[in-house]
Amino acid sequence: MRLGLALGYWGRGPSLDHVPLAQEAERLGYDSVWTAESWGSDAFTALTWIAARTSTIRLGTAVAQMAARSPTTTAMHALTLDHLSGGRMMLGLGLSGPQVVEGWYGRPFPKSPLTATREYVDVVRQVLRREGPVALDGRFHSHPYSGPDGTGIGKALKPITHPLRADLPVLLGAEGPKNVAQTIRIADGWLPLYWSPSRPDAYGEAVAELPEGFLVAPMARVQVCDDVSEGLLPVKAMLGFYIGGMGHAARNFHADLMARMGYEEEARRIQELFLSGRKEEAVLAVPDAFADEISLVGPRERIAERLELWRKGPVTDLLMLSPDRPTLRLLAELNS
């Protein structure tokens, strides 16, 4: 099981520690470093900044949001950064949800998310293969555009720049069983959310039969501490925000996933509290048991013991959410 460092997206402003953390992870033998985006900083600019200050560690987006860019634009970002970094790029994509897609990006959330995702990946693959002009008679991502408001003179084009790698890895963030099953069919890897080593069945039957070489790269917060309950508070804060606020009361993919993992009543309660403005109560309503099974928190010996559970499953890359260098070093020691 390889190790990766997940830096996420910026909060109020850029973190001056992200580049030094990435450099330390590279020195310790970490395989990859990952950036993200939500509705603030973008994933590719921060990753390029890190690429310029590292030399061997692989570079991934976890995730770049599909609604933020057309698929050809995303492919342009990926092929450009792959060239500049010497072939270190991994493209992680996610669809996000209706609140973000319609509220931030100002475009409709696709009525058929699976089809939209499949078409998006198809176009990205065509650009990276550069076997001919990009052409797709699609429902969401037609190339050339053929909608009624078009001019009708669009031309199928092949990228001017020759991509460094036709097989640049494409990973997808997927939560629902049908989405996960499609991800296994069309992508090179999967970025699970809230991975629990003891509940792989929460993502559907397809997880039991993964193709050879398929990447499974979940994120998990790792924190060394004596008091497990106290150490879980940042995990619970994250869960309270995502379960309660990252989606509508009637359509929240994160809450639905938590429910499938055996915490349906708790998920709905968190939503209810968060959406009524009682955010601190929503965080406290997150069960310690749930936060604990999707993270690695506690004394060194406890983390070492629980790390074995992650190794026994299908996880190929553990993407660590950690705010400090001592934890980076500890996990590198335990995984050696």
Side-chain angles (χ1 to χ4, degrees):
M1 185 175 70
R2 295 177 294 261
L3 296 180
L5 171 64
L7 296 172
Y9 46 79
W10 297 351
R12 189 169 187 172
S15 172
L16 299 179
D17 211 28
H18 278 185
V19 168
L21 278 173
Q23 292 171 330
E24 177 70 357
E26 181 175 72
R27 188 187 70 78
L28 291 168
Y30 277 62
D31 180 74
S32 57
V33 59
W34 302 74
T35 56
E37 61 189 10
S38 191
W39 53 87
S41 61
D42 79 277
F44 289 103
T45 306
L47 197 60
T48 303
W49 193 253
I50 291 168
R53 286 156 177 78
T54 56
S55 57
T56 59
I57 197 166
R58 293 200 292 170
L59 310 155
T61 54
V63 295
Q65 295 183 330
M66 287 184 257
R69 307 163 189 87
S70 71
T72 47
T73 306
T74 294
M76 289 166 65
H77 280 301
L79 73 85
T80 302
L81 184 47
D82 201 41
H83 269 292
L84 293 175
S85 67
R88 291 188 280 151
M89 178 67 195
M90 293 183 288
L91 180 60
L93 300 170
L95 195 59
S96 192
Q99 275 200 329
V100 175
V101 172
E102 298 184 1
W104 180 247
Y105 294 113
R107 54 191 307 172
F109 187 78
K111 289 183 169 58
S112 179
L114 291 175
T115 302
T117 299
R118 188 167 58 251
E119 291 181 4
Y120 199 102
V121 172
D122 186 343
V123 172
V124 169
R125 298 275 204 203
Q126 288 191 51
V127 173
L128 295 175
R129 288 195 299 262
R130 200 179 179 272
E131 294 173 346
V134 176
L136 177 67
D137 182 15
R139 178 179 173 185
F140 298 98
H141 299 292
S142 291
H143 284 69
Y145 181 73
S146 58
D149 55 342
T151 63
I153 59 175
K155 181 180 178 181
L157 299 171
K158 186 165 65 172
I160 297 170
T161 304
H162 291 232
L164 184 64
R165 294 180 296 162
D167 59 350
L168 186 155
V170 176
L171 299 87
L172 295 175
E175 296 178 48
K178 291 182 179 179
N179 200 354
V180 172
Q182 174 173 271
T183 294
I184 294 169
R185 291 195 304 271
I186 69 172
D188 302 300
W190 172 37
L191 297 160
L193 188 68
Y194 313 150
W195 177 261
S196 169
S198 60
R199 300 178 193 266
D201 55 332
Y203 291 96
E205 297 177 357
V207 179
E209 297 182 10
L210 298 174
E212 185 176 353
F214 189 79
L215 304 177
V216 179
M219 294 184 195
R221 182 176 179 85
V222 183
Q223 184 170 342
V224 184
C225 58
D226 294 325
D227 189 328
V228 174
S229 294
E230 183 176 340
L232 288 173
L233 285 176
V235 185
K236 294 175 66 169
M238 176 273 293
L239 288 169
F241 176 64
Y242 274 77
I243 301 297
M246 289 286 274
H248 190 269
R251 195 169 189 185
N252 183 315
F253 302 136
H254 311 307
D256 293 343
L257 174 57
M258 183 177 175
R260 287 197 304 275
M261 295 178 75
Y263 297 93
E264 182 171 6
E265 184 177 336
E266 293 88 342
R268 304 313 170 200
R269 178 59 177 162
I270 293 166
Q271 278 189 294
E272 178 186 332
L273 290 169
F274 194 96
L275 295 174
S276 65
R278 298 154 67 183
K279 297 180 180 180
E280 291 185 7
E281 291 181 59
V283 170
L284 295 176
V286 176
D288 278 13
F290 180 53
D292 192 32
E293 67 180 275
I294 65 169
S295 59
L296 290 160
V297 173
R300 177 191 176 105
E301 297 74 18
R302 186 176 193 266
I303 291 176
E305 179 181 344
R306 291 174 57 79
L307 191 60
E308 290 301 317
L309 296 175
W310 291 72
R311 287 199 189 97
K312 290 177 182 178
V315 173
T316 60
D317 298 78
L318 172 58
L319 311 186
M320 184 182 69
L321 293 159
S322 175
D324 60 75
R325 289 166 184 75
T327 307
L328 271 177
R329 290 193 290 270
L330 171 64
L331 203 60
E333 292 170 6
L334 294 178
N335 199 55
S336 62

